[in-house]
């Protein structure tokens, strides 16, 4: 009951306050007295419901006289939780799913307990056929089945075709792997693996990034002694590739113009073996503190963290840096596996992003020395935020050109041209775009 109650509180917070699931989880899990098993179960329900929201409402609408959009928010969340357990969780018996959900309803909204009981029992009675999405229109069908805002599915079908889109939707529905980046200033990958294995964490080396480890069953990371000592940080493979492609040399100067939460900044500083200077900037004070905490924990001495808006031009920095990274704000449509709420974004919310991205890139370019490197990256798969932004930039900036990406071998089709397009369904990692540009004059 306690884990379901916790799951309900988090889901209510997400819906009512439009909060991101990872932030709501951190907030509500902080002071709860649950063991790791119960926390895991609550997390499973939270992410499962968020990821399948439209689909679960479709099931409610099939069985309830009151449609999901007319239901009281409390009742809607409770029904989603119950239906998710019945249709998706083999580890939970149908009886327990109904019983526990009804008991929780009695506690939160007693008048609705009979209604919730009736709908959930109906789900069980029709379990074999109720889960099938019977909608003829392709966009409607896929957006209901995989729970996406329709414009996203329509956009991807027009760009990639139906088969690729379905493959992508399927890949985005999988649980993402957890990757650690070894802090090579304090330990080696082999040493860290040995230490993690004493904690019964399953580890696997990532073949193409020598500081990366894929891990299983690593729980409560921030309280882990090895994490506190700064022996590792959590970072996805795609994000690590940015530092590898930048490939900064020792004793050089690097500027990261939009660096929060600091994964790429700290990777770059580590690759430079604590030499030279990495200037790490962000627009938000609380994010600056986050970056500084990471820098301190990892024992980095070559990072200067600064509060600065990348949309403003810093005249003091013009022509001063060997390397500049513009990892710009984006729609996030490559990291849906990690932040499922992104599936429900409205088109309006992201329409002005390319304009913002171009403005940041224009400024960032001014800080690069002749012969220096400029990296543009995003965690989205949308061409209008990626290759189109870079090509538009190059048309008006003849001082820059694409530079061939070497020693990566992930996107063989494009690396020679100077950029990477990474897709979850093809490459098995977060969707990303990375372009490498050189200032030639």
């Amino acid at each position: 009951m306690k884990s379901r109650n916790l799951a309900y509180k988090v889901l209510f917070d997400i819906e009512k306050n439009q909060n991101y699931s990872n932030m709501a989880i951190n907030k509500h899990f902080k002071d709860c007295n649950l063991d790791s098993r119960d926390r895991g179960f609550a997390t499973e329900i939270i992410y499962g419901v968020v990821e399948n929201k439209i689909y679960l409402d479709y099931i409610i609408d099939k069985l309830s006289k009151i449609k999901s959009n007319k239901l009281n928010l409390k009742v809607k969340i409770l029904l989603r939780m119950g239906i998710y357990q019945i249709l998706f969780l083999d580890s939970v018996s149908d009886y327990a799913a109904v019983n526990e959900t009804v008991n929780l309803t009695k506690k939160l909204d007693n008048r609705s307990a009979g209604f919730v009981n009736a709908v959930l029992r109906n789900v069980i009675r029709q379990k074999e056929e109720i889960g099938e999405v019977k909608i003829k229109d392709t966009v409607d069908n896929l957006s209901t089945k995989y729970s996406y805002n329709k414009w996203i599915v329509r956009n991807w079908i027009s760009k990639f075709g139906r088969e690729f889109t379905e493959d992508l939707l399927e890949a985005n529905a999988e649980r993402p792997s957890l990757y650690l980046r070894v802090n090579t200033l304090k330990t080696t990958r082999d040493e860290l693996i040995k230490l993690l294995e004493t904690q019964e964490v399953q580890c696997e080396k990532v073949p193409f990034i020598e500081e990366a480890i894929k891990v299983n069953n690593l729980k409560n990371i921030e309280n882990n002694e090895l994490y506190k000592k700064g022996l590792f940080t959590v970072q996805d493979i795609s994000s690590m590739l940015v530092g590898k492609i930048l490939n900064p040399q020792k004793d050089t100067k690097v500027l990261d113009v939009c660096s929060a939460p600091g994964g790429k900044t700290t990777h770059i500083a580590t690759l430079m073996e604590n030499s030279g200077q990495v200037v790490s900037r962000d627009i938000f004070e609380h994010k600056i503190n986050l970056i500084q905490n990471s820098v301190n924990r990892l024992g980095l001495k070559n990072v200067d963290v600064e509060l600065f808006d990348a949309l403003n031009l810093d005249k003091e920095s013009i022509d001063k840096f060997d390397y500049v990274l513009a990892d710009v704000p984006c729609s996030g449509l490559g990291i849906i596996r990690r932040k499922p709420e992104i599936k429900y974004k409205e088109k309006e919310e992201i329409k002005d992003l390319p304009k913002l991205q171009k403005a940041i890139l224009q400024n960032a370019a001014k800080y690069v020395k002749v012969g220096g490197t400029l990296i543009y990256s995003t965690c989205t798969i949308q061409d209008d935020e990626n290759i189109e932004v870079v090509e538009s930039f190059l048309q008006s900036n003849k001082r820059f050109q694409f530079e061939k990406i070497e020693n990566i071998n992930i996107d063989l089709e494009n690396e020679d041209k100077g950029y990477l397009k990474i897709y979850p369904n093809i490459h098995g990692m977060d969707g990303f775009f990375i372009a490498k540009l050189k200032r030639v004059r």
Side-chain angles (χ1 to χ4, degrees), residues 138-184:
T138 302
V139 171
D140 280 2
N141 184 297
L142 294 177
S143 66
T144 303
K145 184 179 175 184
Y146 294 98
S147 289
Y148 276 74
N149 205 324
K150 285 178 194 172
W151 77 264
I152 298 173
V153 175
R154 195 175 293 114
N155 176 283
W156 287 352
I157 289 174
S158 71
K159 195 162 71 173
F160 304 125
R162 177 179 176 149
E163 198 177 323
F164 185 99
T165 298
E166 249 187 285
D167 206 24
L168 177 58
L169 296 171
E170 199 64 54
N172 282 344
E174 290 165 11
R175 285 280 182 271
S177 299
L178 181 63
Y179 294 96
L180 309 183
R181 194 187 80 234
V182 181
N183 183 1
T184 49

Side-chain angles (χ1 to χ4, degrees), residues 276-321:
Q277 183 194 26
V278 180
V279 178
S280 172
R281 291 178 174 170
D282 205 83
I283 186 175
F284 298 110
E285 188 113 30
H286 69 282
K287 289 188 176 179
I288 287 294
N289 296 334
L290 202 64
I291 300 163
Q292 191 63 61
N293 290 342
S294 284
V295 166
N296 297 345
R297 184 177 59 79
L298 296 168
L300 292 163
K301 305 279 186 269
N302 59 342
V303 181
D304 294 319
V305 185
E306 298 176 353
L307 188 68
F308 194 82
D309 184 350
L311 285 170
N312 296 333
L313 180 66
D314 175 21
K315 289 180 181 168
E316 298 295 310
S317 295
I318 291 172
D319 298 338
K320 291 279 177 20
F321 290 89

Side-chain angles (χ1 to χ4, degrees), residues 73-84:
L73 183 57
K74 278 184 191 173
V75 175
K76 181 154 59 174
I77 290 169
L78 289 160
L79 280 176
R80 285 173 181 169
M81 285 172 62
I83 295 168
Y84 176 73

Side-chain angles (χ1 to χ4, degrees), residues 202-429:
Q202 296 160 353
C203 302
E204 201 180 305
K205 291 178 180 179
V206 176
F208 50 91
I209 296 185
E210 59 273 20
E211 59 267 52
I213 305 172
K214 183 180 174 182
V215 292
N216 260 329
N217 67 321
L218 176 62
K219 304 275 192 295
N220 209 357
I221 292 167
E222 287 186 0
N223 290 321
N224 187 295
E225 278 308 308
L226 305 175
Y227 177 82
K228 285 181 181 175
K229 286 177 184 169
L231 300 192
F232 71 84
T233 197
V234 176
Q235 191 176 13
D236 190 71
I237 297 294
S238 305
S239 184
M240 288 188 222
L241 285 172
V242 174
K244 303 301 270 186
I245 290 167
L246 185 78
N247 192 24
Q249 300 306 296
K250 287 179 77 173
D251 298 312
T252 54
K253 286 188 74 173
V254 181
L255 173 62
D256 182 352
V257 299
C258 305
S259 68
K264 298 177 191 74
T265 275
T266 55
H267 189 199
I268 289 162
T270 308
L271 290 169
M272 290 164 69
E273 297 175 29
N274 248 341
S275 72
Q277 183 194 26
V278 180
V279 178
S280 172
R281 291 178 174 170
D282 205 83
I283 186 175
F284 298 110
E285 188 113 30
H286 69 282
K287 289 188 176 179
I288 287 294
N289 296 334
L290 202 64
I291 300 163
Q292 191 63 61
N293 290 342
S294 284
V295 166
N296 297 345
R297 184 177 59 79
L298 296 168
L300 292 163
K301 305 279 186 269
N302 59 342
V303 181
D304 294 319
V305 185
E306 298 176 353
L307 188 68
F308 194 82
D309 184 350
L311 285 170
N312 296 333
L313 180 66
D314 175 21
K315 289 180 181 168
E316 298 295 310
S317 295
I318 291 172
D319 298 338
K320 291 279 177 20
F321 290 89
D322 303 288
Y323 305 89
V324 175
L325 168 60
D327 182 58
V328 297
C330 71
S331 59
L333 286 164
I335 55 167
I336 283 168
R337 292 185 301 175
R338 297 187 190 280
K339 291 186 176 174
E341 298 86 352
I342 290 168
K343 301 198 287 186
Y344 311 117
K345 278 192 175 182
E346 297 293 341
K347 203 173 184 176
E348 279 298 300
E349 283 178 71
I350 67 169
K351 71 172 174 38
D352 293 331
L353 282 171
K355 191 176 159 191
L356 172 82
Q357 292 154 347
K358 284 173 191 172
I360 291 173
L361 185 56
Q362 289 284 4
N363 279 348
K366 292 183 171 71
Y367 309 138
V368 184
K369 290 178 183 175
V370 175
T373 300
L374 173 63
I375 298 278
Y376 175 86
S377 64
T378 73
C379 56
T380 189
I381 58 173
Q382 302 301 99
D383 280 349
D384 62 338
E385 297 180 60
N386 293 338
I387 190 67
E388 289 172 23
V389 168
V390 176
E391 284 176 341
S392 161
F393 163 78
L394 289 173
Q395 278 168 10
S396 57
N397 289 269
K398 300 302 178 192
R399 297 182 305 167
F400 284 85
Q401 63 187 38
F402 278 117
E403 183 169 26
K404 184 178 173 181
I405 293 170
E406 293 173 328
N407 307 321
I408 297 295
N409 303 328
I410 297 255
D411 176 15
L412 300 176
E413 193 184 331
N414 296 310
E415 283 168 28
D416 283 355
K417 300 175 199 166
Y419 59 89
L420 263 74
K421 290 181 174 185
I422 302 172
Y423 298 98
N425 54 320
I426 296 177
H427 305 102
M429 58 181 92

Side-chain angles (χ1 to χ4, degrees), residues 72-113:
N72 168 305
L73 183 57
K74 278 184 191 173
V75 175
K76 181 154 59 174
I77 290 169
L78 289 160
L79 280 176
R80 285 173 181 169
M81 285 172 62
I83 295 168
Y84 176 73
Q85 289 168 72
I86 294 165
L87 295 183
F88 288 87
L89 295 187
D90 295 335
S91 59
V92 179
S93 73
D94 291 348
Y95 171 79
V98 175
N99 214 26
E100 293 293 335
T101 307
V102 170
N103 285 341
L104 189 55
T105 310
K106 283 176 181 171
K107 190 177 155 192
L108 296 164
D109 187 355
N110 192 31
R111 292 171 309 165
S112 305

